[in-house]
Amino acid sequence: MTQPTDHSPAFDPDEVRAKYQQERARRVFEGRGAIQDLRTDARFADYVRDPWTPFVERESISDDVDVAVVGAGMAGVVLGAKLRDAGVKRVRLIDKAGGVGGTWYWNRYPGLYCDVESYIYMPMLEEMDYIPSSRYATGHEIRRHLDAIAHKYDLVDDALFHTGVESSEWDEGLARWVLRTDRGDEIRARYLVHAVGILNLMKLPRLLGMDDFEGAAFHTARWDYEYTGGGPDDAHLTKLADKVVGVIGTGGSAIQCVPALAESAKHVYVFQRTPSAIGFRGNRPTDEHFADHLYPGWQKDRMENFSATLIGRNQGNDIVDDGWTHHVAAVNNPPVTPDMPLEEVLRVAEQIDYGIMEEHRARVDEIVADPAVAEALKPYYRYMCKRPLFHDEYLATFNRSNVTLVDCPHGVERVTEHSAWVGDTEYEVDCIVWATGFEAEVTPFARRSGHPIVGRDGITIEEKWKDGVKSLHGIVTRGFPNMFVMPAPAQQSVTTVNYTHLAVIGAEHIAATIAALTERGVKVFDVDQEAEKTWTETIVSFWRDPTAFMAACTPSRLNYEGHPEMANARNGSYGGGHGDFIGYQELLEKFRTDFDGLELDEAPESS
Ligand code: NAP
């Protein structure tokens, strides 16, 4: 299905656009993006509490480290490992969670799988001598793997878990970052790295009466197995046999947990605001001969192959060969020639998109027995308006007599003591599962970091980046010496479907940079003003305004809930669009040979 001609059914652009526009209009309404402030609103404290690890009191600490890393998720763990490989001794990971794993620490809902192939998503497989058990690994397996890396590289004993950084401030006299935490710690670090994650802020919609609800209620990222029965590796939710459950949302988390809920609960209402495009998954156990032909460097090659396929730079050898490399790659890279008029380019792209969406809609008809339910489950928008999903059990769940789809383009509107409401219709439920996701991956870093970061002359990162990012490579920024931010979407680096690839690139780069600067005796680096200006201008020059495309999209977290004009040219990527992975890596490698663009203070240390 890689050839565009495969996706070319009869296509009337005007008719399709009118239908998409009509469906979009049903979902645009005032306040659709309103969310609770989970950081400050005490009414929702139970929603954020850690269900997995008991909180243990400890003494505050005060110490000096080589590198402090905020965040012990995938990025923090891989960075820690790479720092160890580079010979860095005193590394402290700090995280609000009770252990490592980030997303994979918090999310343990039944049915949790990674939606990217495990052989490229699970990092450091070669270093760990590990082969995932299936093509798409369970959350449980991924979490155990990240934990194993953290233990192997001796990152756990020095980590501070259940610890929130409240401020990080550059101290010019000490030439150190000083971090203060909610446990009363003071950590002085020569280097500071922010590895805070990209979907790290849980989202609950702001609906009338939410705190009046008297049943059980939790977010998918804090699953309550005490209430449901079962466990992260046991999807038998034995305590739900007499319970009516309402699942709010139909994104990536919902489609994975709904089949398990349907197996166990007396009844499940699935409240759908927008149907997702759900492609074929095709998970399977890892072939027993998988490892037979592996060679040193195989995982890096496989990651590169996947990323190259998605940006249309693969020469016909699609190793991963799944829905991402078929559909996403086809939509992102329509077969156009340089001499094609723009109008023709757009038409070709639209037609390919239409063909792929028709396949998704036909799949719903094939699987879902009731034609009215099937129609309501069909996505009518362009493929990349929302992150595509892949699943092979979710749609069939709607053939069960104990599952009801509640199609509600304005979503659940209010909650009362025992019910969720859509318009005047009441749905009585014992339990509400909020599968309402996370603040978008384009959320500015200052918000994702969750604490004030104060650089030279008292300037915060929030102030510096208030009109958009200013950086070198999306990783370092002037006025914040000896500080790195892991590359992320909307942050002047590159964007990717396989976040692990970006995390590995960022971790290797930052670790190698720290090692090389230490080796050279550099005490303090800062970013040269001109280099930062040039990089920012380069990013802006790649920007192709996506407003027109996104404005026609159904509202989603990717288009600022229907306000695509909020996108900022300064927050684009290197190469435009998803970014040029290959060029970006070459550029980072070159930078590490001469550190061109950094101001280096190589004076002997005074203290
Ligand atoms: P999501 O994709 O943002 O979905 C949130 C859902 O909640 C949407 O369906 C949204 O509707 C709905 N919603 C919000 N307010 C509502 C209301 N008042 N009433 C009814 N529905 C409401 O979040 P997610 O499913 O947690 O996934 C987030 C991202 O995490 C994914 O895109 C993916 O990148 C990642 N993820 C990955 C995996 C994996 O790899 N295994 C699994 C889960 C998530 P609208 O669509 O109308 O906005």
Side-chain angles (χ1 to χ4, degrees):
M1 289 205 301
T2 46
Q3 293 307 311
T5 45
D6 290 348
H7 313 298
S8 310
F11 167 63
D12 177 341
D14 291 335
E15 200 182 307
V16 173
R17 284 180 209 150
K19 173 66 178 168
Y20 286 7
Q21 175 54 32
Q22 183 193 350
E23 289 293 328
R24 175 184 185 279
R26 295 174 70 209
R27 295 180 170 83
V28 176
F29 59 93
E30 189 64 28
R32 70 163 277 139
I35 55 172
Q36 306 287 359
D37 192 342
L38 295 179
R39 292 188 185 160
T40 55
D41 195 332
R43 292 174 306 159
F44 298 100
D46 280 347
Y47 279 91
V48 283
R49 196 159 290 138
D50 181 353
W52 314 123
T53 312
F55 184 89
V56 179
E57 290 294 345
R58 63 164 172 81
E59 296 288 310
S60 304
I61 62 164
S62 166
D63 75 349
D64 296 271
V65 297
D66 297 317
V67 186
V69 183
V70 184
M74 160 94 70
V77 167
V78 175
L79 172 69
K82 300 290 172 190
L83 285 168
R84 291 287 192 233
D85 275 345
V88 179
K89 292 204 167 48
R90 292 171 305 167
V91 179
R92 246 194 215 292
L93 308 188
I94 308 171
D95 203 297
K96 282 186 183 148
V100 303
T103 292
W104 302 102
Y105 176 88
W106 294 114
N107 285 275
R108 303 191 191 194
Y109 57 77
L112 173 62
Y113 278 85
C114 182
D115 66 359
V116 172
E117 195 209 56
S118 56
Y119 319 122
I120 56 170
Y121 184 81
M122 292 174 71
M124 304 182 69
L125 290 177
E126 291 182 72
E127 293 90 329
M128 297 300 291
D129 195 18
Y130 185 75
I131 299 294
S133 62
S134 58
R135 190 179 183 201
Y136 302 96
T138 63
H140 194 55
E141 184 171 345
I142 298 169
R143 189 178 66 257
R144 274 194 330 228
H145 180 68
L146 295 176
D147 214 42
I149 298 175
H151 278 96
K152 174 171 172 169
Y153 288 87
D154 193 19
L155 299 168
V156 178
D157 288 347
D158 284 339
L160 298 177
F161 296 123
H162 281 157
T163 302
V165 176
E166 293 196 321
S167 68
S168 40
E169 193 161 349
W170 173 249
D171 185 314
E172 199 71 68
L174 292 176
R176 292 289 185 277
W177 281 93
V178 180
L179 283 73
R180 295 196 169 77
T181 78
D182 57 6
R183 307 289 292 262
D185 311 309
E186 183 183 293
I187 316 288
R188 294 165 297 278
R190 179 186 291 277
Y191 292 103
L192 169 61
V193 185
H194 296 279
V196 297
I198 56 173
L199 287 164
N200 62 328
L201 302 175
M202 241 165 69
K203 202 163 81 174
L204 275 184
R206 199 181 315 140
L207 306 181
L208 213 59
M210 273 175 69
D211 47 333
D212 295 336
F213 185 64
E214 289 178 359
F218 52 86
H219 190 280
T220 44
R222 301 286 189 281
W223 196 271
D224 184 353
Y225 284 105
E226 287 272 309
Y227 179 80
T228 65
D233 54 348
D234 172 13
H236 300 95
L237 310 175
T238 48
K239 296 185 183 171
L240 293 182
D242 59 347
K243 300 286 190 286
V244 177
V245 179
V247 179
I248 303 194
T250 50
S253 305
I255 68 156
Q256 293 189 341
C257 70
V258 161
L261 286 168
E263 284 287 335
S264 304
K266 180 175 158 199
H267 200 91
V268 181
Y269 290 108
V270 180
F271 294 92
Q272 170 185 272
R273 207 162 67 168
T274 315
S276 290
I278 303 170
F280 173 67
R281 172 76 303 173
N283 199 7
R284 55 177 180 251
T286 298
D287 188 285
E288 57 177 315
H289 298 296
F290 181 87
D292 291 356
H293 307 291
L294 299 180
Y295 54 90
W298 71 268
Q299 193 186 27
K300 184 168 188 300
D301 284 356
R302 201 172 177 108
M303 284 186 188
E304 298 280 339
N305 179 277
F306 178 79
S307 296
T309 307
L310 289 186
I311 59 170
R313 303 267 288 272
N314 186 355
Q315 302 304 319
N317 174 28
D318 172 9
I319 301 176
V320 171
D321 189 23
D322 70 358
W324 294 111
T325 62
H326 292 194
H327 290 157
V328 178
V331 165
N332 283 346
N333 309 289
V336 295
T337 52
D339 57 343
M340 250 187 206
L342 179 63
E343 216 171 90
E344 181 61 3
V345 169
L346 296 177
R347 194 199 62 75
V348 170
E350 195 174 3
Q351 181 153 7
I352 288 174
D353 192 299
Y354 173 71
I356 288 172
M357 290 308 280
E358 279 290 274
E359 279 180 30
H360 283 80
R361 295 188 279 262
R363 185 173 194 237
V364 180
D365 278 331
E366 278 160 28
I367 297 174
V368 178
D370 182 325
V373 176
E375 190 52 31
L377 283 164
K378 289 180 191 168
Y380 286 101
Y381 45 80
R382 286 185 66 165
Y383 190 53
M384 295 310 289
C385 288
K386 292 171 86 69
R387 183 173 163 116
L389 305 180
F390 306 92
H391 209 276
D392 297 337
E393 288 84 37
Y394 172 74
L395 291 169
T397 305
F398 293 95
N399 294 332
R400 299 177 64 114
S401 57
N402 71 330
V403 177
T404 305
L405 178 71
V406 183
D407 186 38
C408 47
H410 284 207
V412 168
E413 287 153 80
R414 65 196 169 97
V415 176
T416 51
E417 284 89 338
H418 304 289
S419 306
W421 290 75
V422 174
D424 293 333
T425 309
E426 176 177 14
Y427 295 87
E428 222 172 285
V429 291
D430 297 299
C431 169
I432 295 180
V433 177
W434 298 96
T436 44
F438 306 89
E439 293 187 32
E441 43 277 66
V442 293
T443 302
F445 164 68
R447 180 163 173 83
R448 285 186 287 115
S449 75
H451 71 272
I453 300 164
V454 188
R456 281 186 159 147
D457 305 321
I459 303 290
T460 64
I461 197 80
E462 191 171 13
E463 286 167 311
K464 177 163 181 191
W465 286 5
K466 72 178 184 331
D467 297 323
V469 177
K470 284 186 203 161
S471 80
L472 181 60
H473 309 142
I475 295 178
V476 287
T477 185
R478 181 172 172 79
F480 296 79
N482 290 15
M483 183 182 99
F484 302 85
V485 182
M486 285 298 288
Q491 199 184 283
Q492 298 195 346
S493 55
V494 289
T495 300
T496 165
V497 159
N498 179 21
Y499 174 68
T500 303
H501 194 182
L502 188 55
V504 169
I505 289 171
E508 288 179 346
H509 174 70
I510 293 170
T513 301
I514 287 175
L517 293 180
T518 306
E519 169 88 22
R520 277 175 65 159
V522 172
K523 304 302 174 211
V524 177
F525 78 78
D526 203 343
V527 178
D528 173 73
Q529 188 152 17
E530 203 47 42
E532 178 165 288
K533 185 165 171 280
T534 305
W535 182 257
T536 302
E537 284 169 1
T538 303
I539 295 295
V540 170
S541 73
F542 281 121
W543 180 254
R544 299 288 169 269
D545 189 353
T547 313
F549 177 86
M550 280 301 186
C553 273
T554 193
S556 80
R557 65 172 207 276
L558 299 185
N559 66 5
Y560 304 88
E561 300 299 338
H563 291 284
E565 70 285 355
M566 286 169 68
N568 181 336
R570 273 193 4 212
N571 300 353
S573 61
Y574 178 75
H578 282 189
D580 172 4
F581 250 91
I582 300 159
Y584 182 68
Q585 287 182 81
E586 286 168 359
L587 211 130
L588 294 184
E589 267 170 44
K590 155 91 182 47
F591 167 82
R592 293 199 299 269
T593 62
D594 55 16
F595 298 110
D596 191 18
L598 292 190
E599 294 167 355
L600 304 179
D601 176 357
E602 302 183 53
E605 207 162 4
S606 49
S607 57

